[in-house]
Amino acid sequence: MSPLKLAIANKNYSSWSMRPWVLLTQAGIAFEEIQLKFSDAGGIPGIEPYSPTQQVPVLIVDGEPVWDSLAICEAVAEMYPGKQLWPAAARARQVARSVCAEMHAGFRELRDTMPMNIRASLPGRGMSPAVQRDIDRIVSIWESCRERFGGEGELLFGQFTIADAYYAPVATRFLTYAVALPATAQRYADALLALPAVQQWMAQARRETEFVRADEPYA
Ligand SMILES: N[C@@H](CCC(=O)N[C@@H](CS)C(=O)NCC(=O)O)C(=O)O
């Protein structure tokens, strides 16, 4: 097998890129990073040879693209069964898959009005009743997973899984927009943000200087 390659975009802005990058990095799976950048005119120059959708993230496995973050995470979990990237117990695994799918397809209000912007501090921006509803649902997911499956660990299913990689960009948004959380949810967000892979991504995001107008509604 040739080395995995992961094409991503700006670490400051690209929440979909963050998920598989955090998954691979936190799990200690080697990969070559291909970092492209969003163009202010829209699109991602240089993505053409990698992705049939022209979007990031895309994982290249032996020359074959795997696109869409959820498909990438599933493929990685299948390639590295020893890493236990989904919870081992069937019931926990079902819930983990469900909360990832819910993140993947939902929380549109939060995603639209609180776009990921790691290096920015935008307390209170983007808040509305609809966004608060998304936040309340996320809090209830986090509380329920922690209570039912957290065990001795600090993460949603105790040890690190794909579900944590999936919610990492949500935790960075809560930081950027200074979203107030109940204690259990805040403890989980802190544990998630403290993961070495998340710290590494955030440090690299803060060093980026590109300004992408479409991702900066409050500038
Ligand atoms: N459902 C896709 C969403 C991917 C996506 O929206 N990627 C954005 C960046 S975070 C992108 O590539 N935008 C550039 C474009 O659409 O031209 C996934 O989970 O990978």
Side-chain angles (χ1 to χ4, degrees):
M1 189 167 114
S2 58
L4 296 176
K5 293 183 187 164
L6 181 70
I8 59 169
N10 309 52
K11 289 188 169 124
N12 187 53
Y13 299 118
S14 184
S15 60
W16 294 113
S17 297
M18 185 179 184
R19 295 174 172 96
W21 190 99
V22 163
L23 181 73
L24 290 165
T25 306
Q26 187 64 29
I29 297 168
F31 66 101
E32 182 190 325
E33 173 184 313
I34 301 166
Q35 195 186 18
L36 305 169
K37 295 288 170 76
F38 293 126
S39 147
D40 236 352
I44 308 170
I47 190 69
E48 302 77 13
Y50 300 111
S51 171
T53 61
Q54 313 298 292
Q55 288 194 323
V56 289
V58 57
L59 184 74
I60 312 297
V61 185
D62 282 333
E64 184 72 31
V66 180
W67 64 95
D68 194 284
S69 53
L70 198 48
I72 294 171
C73 292
E74 287 283 10
V76 171
E78 204 175 284
M79 279 186 277
Y80 294 90
K83 298 280 185 187
Q84 204 130 87
L85 298 175
W86 289 117
R91 183 171 297 225
R93 198 161 60 246
Q94 286 162 10
V95 175
R97 281 203 160 97
S98 298
V99 301
C100 287
E102 188 172 347
M103 176 72 244
H104 199 67
F107 306 124
R108 207 156 288 283
E109 292 291 338
L110 176 79
R111 296 215 304 252
D112 284 353
T113 67
M114 293 186 178
M116 190 169 91
N117 191 338
I118 289 173
R119 65 177 179 234
S121 173
L122 300 164
R125 297 297 185 98
M127 188 50 92
S128 70
V131 172
Q132 188 61 57
R133 274 196 296 281
D134 279 353
I135 292 168
D136 291 346
R137 173 63 194 148
I138 290 167
V139 165
S140 113
I141 290 172
W142 288 2
E143 288 176 345
S144 154
C145 289
R146 290 284 308 131
E147 187 187 328
R148 296 182 63 198
F149 307 111
E152 298 300 301
E154 295 185 300
L155 300 174
L156 290 181
F157 295 87
Q159 300 308 301
F160 176 75
T161 66
I162 291 170
D164 302 301
Y166 246 75
Y167 281 88
V170 171
T172 75
R173 283 177 167 95
F174 289 171
L175 201 59
T176 297
Y177 297 91
V179 172
L181 297 172
T184 301
Q186 188 60 61
R187 261 197 308 280
Y188 168 62
D190 291 344
L192 188 49
L193 292 172
L195 289 176
V198 175
Q199 285 286 308
Q200 214 177 313
W201 175 280
M202 290 173 73
Q204 292 172 15
R206 290 193 186 104
R207 287 200 289 275
E208 289 180 347
T209 54
E210 294 84 3
F211 178 91
V212 178
R213 169 62 54 199
D215 288 302
E216 294 276 2
Y218 306 111

